[in-house]
Amino acid sequence: MGLHENTLYRWVAEFKSNGAQAFPGSGQLKPEDKVLRTLQKRIRDLEEENEILKKAMHYFAKDRR
């Protein structure tokens, strides 16, 4: 097959440790990676929302002067 022996050993070890989740492929993520990606997206969204609110606060503070 043209694969290095160590590659096969690594694949077997990963399959033994993660079972069916070892090679998610097709855009599927391991459950822990999916949770991490979801949390990172939530952080980005909240930071963007925070920036919008800061700008709005400065805008409305100018009107009160």
Side-chain angles (χ1 to χ4, degrees):
M1 292 181 73
L3 295 173
H4 193 273
E5 185 176 332
N6 288 341
T7 302
L8 293 174
Y9 283 118
R10 185 175 48 82
W11 287 352
V12 169
E14 190 168 339
F15 184 77
K16 285 180 181 178
S17 67
N18 295 320
Q21 298 296 323
F23 310 103
S26 299
Q28 301 297 319
L29 298 173
K30 293 180 183 178
E32 58 271 10
D33 293 338
K34 188 174 184 178
V35 169
L36 180 61
R37 181 176 282 176
T38 302
L39 291 174
Q40 288 172 335
K41 182 182 182 324
R42 179 142 170 83
I43 288 171
R44 281 191 311 271
D45 291 345
L46 290 171
E47 287 174 343
E48 182 179 339
E49 184 178 318
N50 193 25
E51 288 301 315
I52 291 169
L53 291 173
K54 283 181 185 179
K55 289 177 183 178
M57 182 180 69
H58 289 302
Y59 177 77
F60 289 117
K62 288 181 186 177
D63 289 346
R64 294 181 66 183
R65 292 183 196 171

